[in-house]
Amino acid sequence: TMSLPGIPDALRGTYAGLAHPAAVAHFKALGVTTLCLLPVHYALDEEALAQRGLRNYWGYNTIGFFCPSPRYAMPGGPGAAAEFRAMVATLQAAGLEVVLDVVFNHSAEGDASGPTLSLRGLDNGSAYRLVPGDRRQYENHSGCGNTLRVAHPRVTQFVMDVLRFWVGSMGVDGFRFDLAPVLGRTRQGFDPSAPFFVALRQDPLLAGVHWIAEP
């Protein structure tokens, strides 16, 4: 939407711009049926990037799992949540599906030297996979400093609640799971019947939406 002809300047780079008639017509002309959006959850820049004046441009560093990022909302508009919901409804009315790229393999709290922002302060040992024998350190299967312990019942519940919110309240048609094998890790390695996968298959709201796994 930053360069597509016909998008009003005020809507470029916004949720509303993605659902503008000029954008919809463009998708239709291309034969597109489904839009997969890179992360729209509220994210933070890692400290190492910020110190160098850089940013996590694509947003793969989630901290606000229930919050659409306000950086894609119109200034002075109805707010990110309302604008996102309207975008999804408009695209679906035009026959297009909306799939979200979601990051549940790690969070923006980083490694042991990172900031305490949410999960670390609430229940560090349940939220993250810690190194056996040295629980001050984090297992780093994500390459981003920490690994969410999705096999823990409360973390499974948390992720399921997030997914239900985006389907039930925001209307999306499915998800692309970033580093999906991490979500199936147990102490015995990867398990295709890990708690999270079992929960997904039996959930009445989520069982029928699209699931795409990054290998």
Side-chain angles (χ1 to χ4, degrees):
T1 63
M2 294 301 293
S3 59
L4 184 69
I7 304 290
D9 288 345
L11 299 187
R12 294 189 181 279
T14 68
Y15 302 119
L18 192 64
H20 187 271
V24 172
H26 180 63
F27 300 140
K28 291 288 192 178
L30 291 173
V32 168
T33 61
T34 303
L35 300 177
C36 182
L37 307 185
L38 272 69
V40 297
H41 291 168
Y42 187 77
L44 295 179
D45 299 324
E46 295 91 330
E47 184 178 1
L49 291 178
Q51 289 176 346
R52 304 201 304 272
L54 303 173
R55 65 182 309 181
N56 190 318
Y57 185 79
W58 298 114
Y60 283 94
N61 208 35
T62 304
I63 195 65
F65 291 87
F66 293 90
C67 178
S69 178
R71 68 174 171 152
Y72 301 129
M74 293 184 294
E83 186 178 335
F84 184 94
R85 192 179 294 113
M87 173 199 73
V88 172
T90 300
L91 291 170
Q92 289 172 337
L96 298 165
E97 295 178 310
V98 179
V99 171
L100 297 187
D101 194 343
V102 288
V103 182
F104 295 115
N105 55 76
H106 75 282
S107 83
E109 291 187 295
D111 61 18
S113 63
T116 296
L117 300 169
S118 59
L119 299 174
R120 176 177 290 154
L122 292 169
D123 191 346
N124 186 55
S126 297
Y128 295 109
R129 292 175 62 98
L130 305 179
V131 174
D134 186 359
R135 292 177 60 81
R136 298 169 300 175
Q137 302 301 320
Y138 292 81
E139 293 186 1
N140 186 21
H141 301 298
S142 66
C144 298
N146 65 53
T147 305
L148 283 177
R149 190 182 171 194
V150 181
H152 189 281
R154 295 288 74 79
V155 182
T156 296
Q157 180 184 9
F158 169 73
V159 175
M160 294 293 289
D161 285 346
V162 173
L163 297 175
R164 291 189 197 101
F165 168 77
W166 286 92
V167 173
S169 296
M170 307 302 273
V172 303
D173 298 288
F175 305 95
R176 179 266 192 191
F177 295 97
D178 185 60
L179 290 182
V182 172
L183 307 181
R185 276 188 175 271
T186 68
R187 283 299 169 201
Q188 289 71 48
F190 177 79
D191 182 359
S193 296
F196 173 65
F197 299 147
V198 173
L200 266 184
R201 286 194 291 267
Q202 60 81 44
D203 188 90
L205 182 61
L206 300 175
V209 305
H210 297 306
W211 311 338
I212 303 168
E214 180 191 26

